[in-house]
């Protein structure tokens, strides 16, 4: 708690009994995470993230080593957000820390790497000053094979953006480059979107997809209950290139890719059934449903196995006690797809 100090205790099992070898008091109000680091040494190192309200950020990183007798602090730094991964190409764990600066200057992304004895601060790059806090960081690649960290941040309570920091580790001493913000011209080329959807490696090939959203046909911006189409982009050749579009439901944990022939022509609405959506060919007028194309439903495994659901549903996927189901209405629409295609377009999101 805030009133009680945080204590870290190293235990060892001696003659079948756990014994305290060393303990230390840590700053902060609570432990955010603990990571065992790979730095190629015989002495175990751990990174401890601590919630902290002091100067320099909302969190505190401590890298600690235990030599069998004493738990020593080897590195300590404040941060707003961080990721731990190999960014220098040597197989060892590095840190990318996002650190706050003076008001109006934006934050800094800083590379921290192991030099054989301790962690040292390396290259840094300025971030978009419009971003006030950070949601998540992802280690991945650009389409040209360059390693990059994709950083989702909040520009306001209802607006997010993604910045991409590339890592040039082919020269001596890795160098960071912000591909989506130019600190000299103060121009940002990041993709903005409503809050709710983060970057994701949908194709699971290491190249991260960056989302952007647009309103579905038949809805107005700001309308309560409006549905949005999510466009997914790759950063390539100095800009963002759309790869595909989809409907995303982060609450129920799935994505349904739209075939290209659907984009701009198909919309979505809720039905009277629980957790059921209708994807339909849109037409302007009082009756926007020109053709029903797909019913998609999320239900419990028990209801599905007990045959409590409509019999023409087909199983698309499962997650624990949840099942994802689909059925295709019969019509002659050129936009009609098959159940096999639905299975191909469906992706579970972790």
């Amino acid at each position: 708690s805030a009133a009680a100090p945080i204590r870290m205790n190293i235990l060892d099992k001696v003659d079948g009994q756990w014994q305290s070898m060393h303990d230390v008091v840590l700053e902060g109000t609570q432990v955010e995470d603990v990571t065992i680091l790979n730095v190629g040494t015989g002495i175990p190192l751990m990174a401890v993230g601590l919630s902290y309200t002091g100067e320099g950020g909302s969190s505190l990183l401590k890298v600690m080593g235990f030599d069998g007798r004493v738990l020593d602090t080897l590195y300590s730094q404040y941060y707003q957000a961080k990721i731990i991964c190999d960014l220098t190409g040597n197989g060892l764990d590095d840190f990318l820390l996002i650190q706050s600066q003076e008001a109006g200057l934006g934050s800094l992304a800083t590379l921290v790497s192991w030099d054989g004895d301790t962690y040292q601060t390396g290259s840094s790059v300025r971030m978009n000053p419009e971003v006030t806090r950070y949601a998540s960081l992802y280690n991945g690649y650009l389409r040209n094979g360059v390693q990059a960290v994709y950083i989702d941040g909040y520009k306001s309570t209802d607006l997010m953006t993604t910045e991409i920091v590339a890592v040039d580790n082919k020269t001596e001493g890795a160098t960071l480059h912000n591909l989506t913000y130019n600190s000299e011209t103060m121009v940002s080329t990041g993709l903005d979107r409503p809050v709710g959807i983060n970057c994701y490696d949908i194709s699971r090939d290491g190249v991260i997809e960056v989302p952007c959203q647009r309103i579905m046909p038949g809805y107005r911006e700001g309308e309560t209950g409006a549905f949005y189409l999510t466009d997914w982009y790759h950063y390539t050749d100095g800009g963002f290139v759309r790869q595909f579009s989809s409907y995303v439901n982060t609450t129920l944990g799935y994505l349904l890719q739209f075939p290209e022939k659907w984009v701009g022509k198909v919309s979505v609405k809720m039905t009277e059934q629980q957790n059921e959506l209708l994807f339909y060919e849109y037409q302007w007028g009082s009756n926007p449903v020109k053709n029903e194309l797909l019913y998609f439903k999320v239900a419990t495994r028990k209801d599905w196995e007990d045959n409590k659901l409509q019999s023409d549903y087909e199983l698309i996927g499962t997650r624990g006690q949840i099942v994802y189901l689909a059925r295709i209405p019969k019509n002659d629409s050129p936009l009609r797809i098959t159940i096999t295609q639905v299975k191909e377009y469906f992706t579970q999101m972790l």
Side-chain angles (χ1 to χ4, degrees):
S1 70
I6 298 174
R7 306 190 71 92
M8 176 175 286
N9 202 312
I10 302 296
L11 302 178
D12 192 14
K13 202 168 190 178
V14 179
D15 297 329
Q17 300 294 321
W18 289 104
Q19 295 184 12
S20 174
M21 306 301 293
H22 186 79
D23 80 311
V24 63
V25 177
L26 302 175
E27 302 102 312
T29 56
Q30 65 180 24
V31 176
E32 294 180 352
D33 50 49
V34 177
T35 305
I36 303 300
L37 299 173
N38 173 29
V39 293
T41 67
I43 297 176
L45 296 187
M46 67 186 76
V48 183
L50 298 154
S51 296
Y52 189 81
T53 56
E55 182 179 354
S58 59
S59 299
L60 175 64
L61 168 67
K62 280 189 169 292
V63 177
M64 313 189 79
F66 183 65
D67 63 2
R69 296 178 296 104
V70 178
L71 192 63
D72 287 326
T73 298
L74 303 180
Y75 182 84
S76 181
Q77 188 58 262
Y78 303 108
Y79 67 94
Q80 293 174 280
K82 73 175 186 301
I83 188 170
I84 304 173
C85 56
D86 176 17
L87 294 170
T88 52
N90 60 4
L92 306 180
D93 283 329
D94 304 299
F95 298 93
L96 185 76
L97 303 180
I98 309 295
Q99 299 172 287
S100 61
Q101 300 297 297
E102 296 178 18
L105 294 180
S107 298
L108 277 181
T110 302
L111 178 63
V112 181
S113 300
W114 182 254
D115 69 357
D117 295 309
T118 188
Y119 274 95
Q120 296 285 353
T121 298
S123 175
S124 63
V125 66
R126 290 203 176 276
M127 306 295 287
N128 185 349
E130 294 179 285
V131 176
T132 58
R133 60 189 179 93
Y134 296 91
S136 51
L137 289 77
Y138 306 90
N139 176 40
Y141 296 88
L142 305 177
R143 291 188 67 179
N144 61 6
V146 172
Q147 190 170 3
V149 178
Y150 294 73
I151 304 167
D152 288 332
Y154 293 90
K155 298 176 78 171
S156 65
T157 56
D158 55 3
L159 189 66
M160 295 185 73
T161 192
T162 297
E163 295 182 81
I164 302 176
V165 173
V167 185
D168 180 2
N169 54 24
K170 295 182 180 179
T171 58
E172 184 176 352
T175 305
L176 302 181
H177 303 277
N178 192 331
L179 302 180
T180 54
Y181 178 72
N182 187 320
S183 60
E184 294 182 358
T185 62
M186 294 185 291
V187 173
S188 171
T189 56
L191 293 179
D192 295 349
R193 60 188 180 275
V195 170
I197 298 180
N198 293 349
C199 294
Y200 200 77
D201 183 9
I202 297 169
S203 54
R204 293 178 171 82
D205 60 358
V207 181
I208 307 294
E209 281 78 29
V210 179
C212 194
Q213 290 187 309
R214 50 176 152 156
I215 200 80
M216 290 268 197
Y219 295 100
R220 300 184 305 275
E221 289 288 351
E223 177 181 350
T224 301
F227 282 85
Y228 287 84
L229 186 70
T230 300
D231 296 317
W232 296 93
Y233 291 80
H234 284 166
Y235 187 90
T236 182
D237 297 327
F240 286 97
V241 178
R242 187 179 72 89
Q243 302 302 300
F244 57 89
S245 302
S246 70
Y247 169 74
V248 178
N249 190 316
T250 55
T251 302
L252 295 176
Y254 71 90
L255 170 155
L256 190 67
Q257 183 177 334
F258 270 33
E260 279 300 311
K261 64 183 180 180
W262 276 23
V263 177
K265 298 178 181 179
V266 171
S267 195
V268 185
K269 70 174 185 176
M270 297 179 65
T271 73
E272 296 179 355
Q273 301 298 316
Q274 185 178 12
N275 291 329
E276 183 184 65
L277 296 177
L278 168 63
F279 294 78
Y280 61 92
E281 183 179 356
Y282 172 80
Q283 64 181 1
W284 186 86
S286 57
N287 179 19
V289 181
K290 183 177 181 180
N291 284 296
E292 297 181 347
L293 300 174
L294 168 67
Y295 283 90
F296 194 91
K297 185 176 179 63
V298 181
T300 65
R301 182 186 293 270
K302 188 175 188 306
D303 283 350
W304 171 249
E305 293 175 347
D306 291 347
N307 297 315
K308 293 183 178 179
L309 305 174
Q310 195 165 324
S311 60
D312 55 351
Y313 269 115
E314 293 198 37
L315 184 66
I316 301 300
T318 64
R319 172 185 286 173
Q321 298 304 308
I322 292 177
V323 294
Y324 301 93
L325 309 168
R327 59 186 177 93
I328 306 291
K330 293 181 179 180
N331 58 58
D332 297 323
S333 171
L335 301 183
R336 191 171 187 266
I337 60 175
T338 65
I339 282 291
T340 299
Q341 289 175 299
V342 174
K343 293 178 179 180
E344 293 174 355
Y345 294 143
F346 172 78
T347 299
Q348 290 190 38
M349 302 185 73
L350 300 178

